[in-house]
Amino acid sequence: MTTVYEAVIGLEVHVQLDTHSKIFCACSTKFGSEPNANTCPVCLGLPGSLPVLNGQALHLAVKVGIALNCEISKRLKFDRKNYFYPDLPKAYQISQFDQPVNGAGWLLIETRSEDGSWKEKKIGIHRAHLEEDAGKLLHEGIEGASLVDFNRAGVPLLEIVSDPDLSSPEEAYAYLTSLKAILQYLEVSDCNMEEGSLRCDANVSIRKRGDKNLGTKTEIKNLNSFKNVQRAIQYEIERQTELVEGGGRVIQETRLWNDVKAQTFVMRSKEQAHDYRYFPEPDLVPLTIESAAIEAIRKELPELPAAKAARFRKDYGLGDYDASVLVQEKALAAYFEQAIKAHANAKMISNWMQSELLALLNSKKLAIQSSPVSAQALAGLVALIESGTISGKIAKDVLPVMFETGQTAQEVVREKGWVQVTDESLIETIADKIIADNSQSVQDYRAGKKQALGFLVGQMMKASQGKVNPKLANEVLARKIGV
Amino acid sequence: MSFEIEKVAELARIRLTPDEKNKLQSDLGAILGYVEKLKSVDTSQVSETSHVMDLTNVFREDKVLPSDVSAAVLRAAPDRDGKFFRVPKTVER
Ligand SMILES: [Zn+2]
């Protein structure tokens, strides 16, 4: 993107609220049931059936609203959004139009600025309202017809609409990560994109830098991962920029992201603009939420990611980046705190978690909760490094064994005989041998080639299978060669 | 009271004969005329109402109660494919 233009991005996130039953009927919300097994007269829209609001859905929606600093409506109601589509049995969706449960709010994201430092940015939340999900249509491999499964119809959704405050694909990614972390901390949704419990549409436009007016936007759908949201927005910004620079105009339209082609394509749709003819849902009574009820829910809220990150920076001296990675997942943060309770070296624990442990977990597709290496065990490993019992290099071999066998670091080190050699007389013996075997390198070092010493230390490490303390090896060699 | 009867029919997905159009035009016109009359009533002292019953905060407990209508509904559907409803092919929304 040239610097002449800037991108203006807003995101609409639909998140499935984690209730047992649907929003307006008692059908199960369970994923993966037989087609149409979780349906009843209400969610199939049969005549004479009446919806009744699931109190828990509203409760969870308010919880999210509080966490996103939203203005919680004291009075709210539901409205019918009218349109025809085969996944919508009633030919209207029960949603909220002018009295959404959550009004304006905000959330903080962390983005990397051009100089590489991390900075916070406040992203406005326009609103977050409750609605029911539609059914699922299957088209693929079916000749001339579509199949409909209404198990999803009536599943509670919270649609969280951001303000157009995001100005890059990276910021959009950061917003989604931050939002997902909050939702998971609140335990209001499992946020599983593959199962459709979190979906995202992106509104993208560009404008001349400094321009106050918004450009014409396109809406991108079919975004099935956060990475693809980022890629699709990047593509769309480039497409719009090229179009405008070539003298063209952006047309307001809905585009679909094609993952394989890595492009967005205009969606075939009827020309007519949508006319949803919202009106109050007469089958549901209006609602009021008392301030006392909001305060009671506020008390239920756990420490949220941003607050936790701030505490990690302040109490444990972690850097911005480390703190934000560790708080991404509640379980990861809990693991970290357990580990430093066992051994108070926050920086080292954080490093070992982020580099070695997460890599091992990823390779086995395990969540931190099911890590075979407990927080206490990882702390034990770090303690052995710090006391000089093993080198950091050996520790990198110890951890995979701990991971594989569930043993503690001490057990592994004892069993394998990997204790670091700190006995100077033993180190001197090895050093003598290495000096005798590598006279050329010794001469080079004497002649001023500093890197020759590194080579000799490497030879010592090799000869001792990495057990020699490298710092001591360095000292002994330098002394013996006598420069 | 003027309105586009054709647009309303299209939104409702119904086809109207010219006769029906005329008849509905005048019927709906009369209804809208009545609503227009209601608008002249002073409601400044009346609080906004979205529901006729004097009820608020009616909730259902978050409990699953299975319904057994699915097989019957599928049987009665115009077309089906196993446990799915089958509908004419639709383009993406
Ligand atoms: Zn149902």
Side-chain angles (χ1 to χ4, degrees):
Chain A
M1 181 169 183
T2 60
T3 49
V4 182
Y5 296 97
E6 63 178 0
V8 179
I9 303 156
L11 296 177
E12 285 170 23
V13 170
H14 284 87
V15 63
Q16 178 179 342
L17 297 173
D18 208 351
T19 56
H20 302 295
S21 61
K22 292 184 178 181
I23 184 167
F24 299 122
C25 63
C27 291
S28 169
T29 54
K30 205 167 142 246
F31 180 82
S33 303
E34 282 207 323
N36 294 303
N38 305 333
T39 56
C40 76
V42 174
C43 55
L44 287 171
L46 300 187
S49 63
L50 286 173
V52 184
L53 179 63
N54 181 341
Q56 180 67 2
L58 179 63
H59 182 96
L60 297 180
V62 170
K63 222 167 158 177
V64 177
I66 296 171
L68 297 179
N69 311 290
C70 291
E71 200 174 305
I72 315 288
S73 306
K74 296 278 186 317
R75 282 166 48 100
L76 55 119
K77 67 174 169 69
F78 285 90
D79 301 274
R80 290 187 182 180
K81 180 180 179 179
N82 300 280
Y83 65 92
F84 287 94
Y85 208 70
D87 63 7
L88 195 69
K90 299 187 294 292
Y92 60 82
Q93 178 192 28
I94 305 180
S95 181
Q96 297 194 287
F97 182 56
D98 57 341
Q99 289 179 10
V101 50
N102 300 311
W106 51 267
L107 77 78
L108 287 179
I109 62 166
E110 290 198 3
T111 56
R112 206 189 266 277
S113 38
E114 272 153 39
D115 62 7
S117 67
W118 291 81
K119 62 172 179 3
E120 277 186 339
K121 182 173 172 183
K122 201 184 238 187
I123 306 298
I125 301 290
H126 181 61
R127 58 184 278 168
H129 66 262
L130 274 169
E131 61 184 29
E132 58 177 342
D133 203 351
K136 192 174 158 55
L137 278 172
L138 288 95
H139 312 282
E140 240 140 271
I142 302 146
E143 204 51 49
S146 299
L147 302 183
V148 199
D149 174 5
F150 288 118
N151 282 346
R152 284 204 74 92
V155 160
L157 299 179
L158 189 69
E159 178 175 338
I160 304 165
V161 184
S162 86
D163 284 326
D165 289 349
L166 301 157
S167 39
S168 71
E170 293 74 27
E171 285 188 10
Y173 186 86
Y175 170 86
L176 290 170
T177 321
S178 177
L179 180 61
K180 183 179 169 185
I182 291 172
L183 296 169
Q184 286 183 326
Y185 269 62
L186 294 173
E187 292 175 355
V188 296
S189 175
D190 64 14
C191 297
N192 186 333
M193 275 188 113
E194 276 160 33
E195 293 180 3
S197 39
L198 194 145
R199 282 167 268 163
C200 175
D201 300 332
N203 290 306
V204 181
S205 65
I206 57 164
R207 65 178 169 196
K208 281 236 167 73
R209 214 165 269 279
D211 215 334
K212 282 278 161 277
N213 296 326
L214 292 172
T216 306
K217 67 176 181 190
T218 57
E219 187 181 14
I220 316 171
K221 288 178 179 277
N222 198 33
L223 300 166
N224 56 6
S225 72
F226 290 180
K227 265 278 159 267
N228 279 340
V229 173
Q230 189 177 339
R231 290 168 72 206
I233 292 172
Q234 182 67 46
Y235 173 85
E236 191 56 22
I237 293 170
E238 283 163 14
R239 188 190 70 85
Q240 292 186 12
T241 307
E242 256 173 55
L243 193 64
V244 170
E245 286 189 333
R249 256 182 54 233
V250 176
I251 299 161
Q252 180 154 0
E253 62 195 1
T254 303
R255 301 181 67 88
L256 292 180
W257 170 249
N258 183 314
D259 196 10
V260 180
K261 298 208 171 93
Q263 289 176 24
T264 63
F265 292 93
V266 66
M267 198 168 80
R268 288 168 298 154
S269 62
K270 293 220 177 90
E271 288 302 302
Q272 74 180 40
H274 287 299
D275 183 350
Y276 293 126
R277 293 149 294 144
Y278 282 97
F279 64 84
E281 166 58 87
D283 290 342
L284 288 165
V285 301
L287 305 155
T288 55
I289 308 177
E290 305 296 329
S291 309
I294 297 172
E295 287 319 304
I297 297 175
R298 192 186 301 279
K299 291 209 177 76
E300 284 176 22
L301 257 58
E303 182 185 35
L304 291 171
K308 206 184 269 289
R311 184 166 62 79
F312 280 12
R313 289 193 296 263
K314 184 169 161 285
D315 290 2
Y316 307 133
L318 291 184
D320 292 351
Y321 177 79
D322 288 346
S324 75
V325 170
L326 289 176
V327 302
Q328 213 72 259
E329 269 181 66
K330 203 182 196 172
L332 198 64
Y335 186 102
F336 169 75
E337 290 206 276
Q338 270 174 31
I340 57 167
K341 222 173 263 166
H343 182 79
N345 186 331
K347 185 69 200 162
M348 269 181 88
I349 301 244
S350 155
N351 285 346
W352 277 86
M353 282 178 68
Q354 289 184 47
S355 52
E356 308 301 317
L357 182 66
L358 285 184
L360 285 168
L361 290 168
N362 284 340
S363 72
K364 288 273 188 295
K365 294 208 168 14
L366 284 175
I368 186 85
Q369 297 94 307
S370 15
S371 170
V373 177
S374 70
Q376 288 74 10
L378 186 78
L381 178 71
V382 169
L384 286 186
I385 305 168
E386 246 198 320
S387 67
T389 309
I390 55 170
S391 64
K393 191 170 172 297
I394 292 276
K396 285 191 182 176
D397 294 331
V398 175
L399 189 63
V401 180
M402 295 167 67
F403 197 85
E404 211 52 56
T405 62
Q407 287 174 299
T408 65
Q410 259 160 336
E411 284 166 348
V412 174
V413 168
R414 200 183 313 127
E415 209 167 272
K416 304 261 180 191
W418 281 348
V419 178
Q420 179 162 265
V421 177
T422 47
D423 175 353
E424 267 195 54
S425 64
L426 185 56
I427 293 175
E428 284 186 17
T429 316
I430 303 171
D432 288 338
K433 187 176 179 312
I434 295 298
I435 289 170
D437 292 351
N438 297 279
S439 51
Q440 187 57 50
S441 295
V442 174
Q443 276 176 30
D444 288 350
Y445 180 57
R446 288 207 173 107
K449 260 181 88 182
K450 290 271 177 274
Q451 61 269 43
L453 189 66
F455 170 78
L456 292 169
V457 171
Q459 291 302 304
M460 281 191 67
M461 299 302 290
K462 211 166 150 190
S464 66
Q465 282 119 39
K467 281 188 279 184
V468 165
N469 180 318
K471 199 166 150 273
L472 279 176
N474 227 303
E475 282 170 20
V476 171
L477 276 170
R479 195 177 64 227
K480 282 197 177 286
I481 300 169
V483 178
Chain B
M1 187 66 216
S2 84
F3 62 96
E4 291 174 58
I5 188 78
E6 276 167 21
K7 180 161 186 248
V8 174
E10 197 194 330
L11 286 169
R13 301 290 193 275
I14 51 175
R15 217 172 275 134
L16 298 175
T17 64
D19 271 0
E20 286 169 330
K21 254 182 231 173
N22 283 335
K23 196 168 172 306
L24 281 168
Q25 179 83 44
S26 79
D27 282 0
L28 288 174
I31 294 169
L32 288 174
Y34 179 63
V35 172
E36 210 49 35
K37 212 184 214 169
L38 286 177
K39 276 192 189 163
S40 63
V41 178
D42 177 15
T43 56
S44 57
Q45 300 305 308
V46 183
S47 65
E48 198 188 321
T49 314
S50 64
H51 199 273
V52 289
M53 307 273 285
D54 190 17
L55 278 173
T56 50
N57 298 356
V58 178
F59 297 115
R60 193 175 52 75
E61 216 187 310
D62 184 24
K63 256 169 68 184
V64 175
L65 282 172
S67 158
D68 55 2
V69 299
S70 134
V73 175
L74 273 164
R75 248 193 327 273
D79 198 3
R80 57 185 281 196
D81 184 339
K83 298 199 158 152
F84 288 101
F85 294 97
R86 197 179 145 95
V87 297
K89 191 136 200 148
T90 43
V91 294
E92 296 280 29
R93 205 169 5 182

